Amino acid sequence: MKSKIPILLMAVLVLFLAPFLYHLVASNNSEGMKIQDVLVTNDKMNVLAYARVSRFSPDIEKAILAGVSTTFSFKIEFYRDKEFWVDERLVQLEVIKNIKYNQVKKTFFVTSTFPRTTESFQEFETARLAVAEINGVPIINIRNLNKDQNYYARIKLEWENYRLPFYAEFLRIFLSFRDFETDWHVQPFRLQK
C-alpha cells in the first residue's frame, strides 16, 4: 500500500502541473512565428491565396536539422461577410508541406500537396522558404461570388511531428491533444474586375 501512495501523488502532481507546463512550452515554441505577406486576389477563374511564415522558431529549426521529419499545414478558410448575421464559410482547405533532412546526403527533401511536388535542396534557407510559403493556391471559383459582396480569407499554420528535448519527452502525453500553431491572419477580399 505504501508504494502506491507516492505514485498516486506523482500522478496528481503531474496532472495539476500539466496545463502550466503546456503553456510554458507552447508559448516558447511558437514565439515569433506568424503569417505575413498575405495576398488574396483573383485571376480570371479563381480566388488565389499567397502567404508565408515569418520564420521558424529556433527549436523547430534544430529539430529539422537533427533529421526530424516535420509536417506543416497551411489552413485556409474563405468566408462571405454577412453584416447582421453569422459569416458564411464557403471554403475550407489545407496545403500540407513536409521537410526531412538527410544527414548523410546533406540534403533537405520537401514535399507539398500544392503544387503536388517533391523537391530537394542543399541549403536550409532555400528549403525553409519552400516549406514556409504558399503561392497562388486556388481557393474558390469566382463564378460562386458576387461583385458587390465582401469576403475574407483566414490563414494559419500548424505544425506536427514536433519533438521536445529528450528530458521533456514525457510531456508529449499532455501536449499531443493540441497542435502548435500560429494565430489566424484575416485578409479582406473583394472581387476584382
Side-chain angles (χ1 to χ4, degrees):
M1 183 69 175
K2 289 182 180 180
S3 64
K4 290 184 181 180
I5 292 174
I7 293 172
L8 183 60
L9 287 174
M10 185 77 134
V12 169
L13 182 63
V14 168
L15 288 174
F16 178 73
L17 292 177
F20 302 108
L21 293 172
Y22 171 76
H23 179 70
L24 178 66
V25 173
S27 64
N28 287 340
N29 289 337
S30 60
E31 189 175 307
M33 288 183 63
K34 62 183 178 180
I35 298 290
Q36 64 182 31
D37 299 335
V38 175
L39 173 65
V40 179
T41 188
N42 66 277
D43 62 11
K44 293 181 181 179
M45 293 185 61
N46 296 306
V47 174
L48 307 171
Y50 299 82
R52 71 181 180 89
V53 178
S54 58
R55 64 180 187 88
F56 292 160
S57 71
D59 289 343
I60 290 175
E61 286 187 9
K62 286 178 192 173
I64 292 169
L65 293 170
V68 176
S69 177
T70 305
T71 301
F72 297 87
S73 300
F74 284 91
K75 309 282 187 180
I76 304 169
E77 296 179 350
F78 191 75
Y79 289 83
R80 181 186 325 269
D81 191 2
K82 294 194 169 190
E83 198 165 323
F84 298 107
W85 196 244
V86 177
D87 295 344
E88 177 186 4
R89 184 171 63 197
L90 302 175
V91 176
Q92 179 178 4
L93 58 101
E94 179 177 43
V95 176
I96 300 171
K97 298 192 175 202
N98 179 276
I99 185 169
K100 172 80 171 131
Y101 181 55
N102 184 317
Q103 293 176 327
V104 175
K105 296 181 179 179
K106 303 217 180 292
T107 303
F108 296 91
F109 295 96
V110 175
T111 59
S112 176
T113 59
F114 182 85
R116 192 165 294 281
T117 58
T118 300
E119 299 176 290
S120 61
F121 302 94
Q122 298 298 318
E123 296 177 10
F124 176 68
E125 187 58 27
T126 311
R128 188 193 70 76
L129 288 174
V131 170
E133 59 188 23
I134 54 172
N135 292 309
V137 174
I139 300 175
I140 189 171
N141 192 298
I142 62 171
R143 289 184 300 199
N144 300 325
L145 306 179
N146 299 322
K147 290 184 180 178
D148 58 345
Q149 180 74 47
N150 291 323
Y151 301 92
Y152 62 91
R154 295 184 346 143
I155 302 173
K156 75 174 176 177
L157 179 78
E158 293 179 353
W159 57 97
E160 304 165 7
N161 300 340
Y162 183 80
R163 276 203 189 148
L164 295 171
F166 176 75
Y167 57 86
E169 194 63 35
F170 78 94
L171 290 175
R172 196 177 220 7
I173 297 166
F174 303 104
L175 301 179
S176 61
F177 63 86
R178 181 167 176 223
D179 293 329
F180 294 103
E181 58 192 33
T182 65
D183 292 330
W184 284 103
H185 180 94
V186 178
Q187 184 68 31
F189 172 77
R190 198 163 174 103
L191 194 60
Q192 304 294 317
K193 296 181 179 181

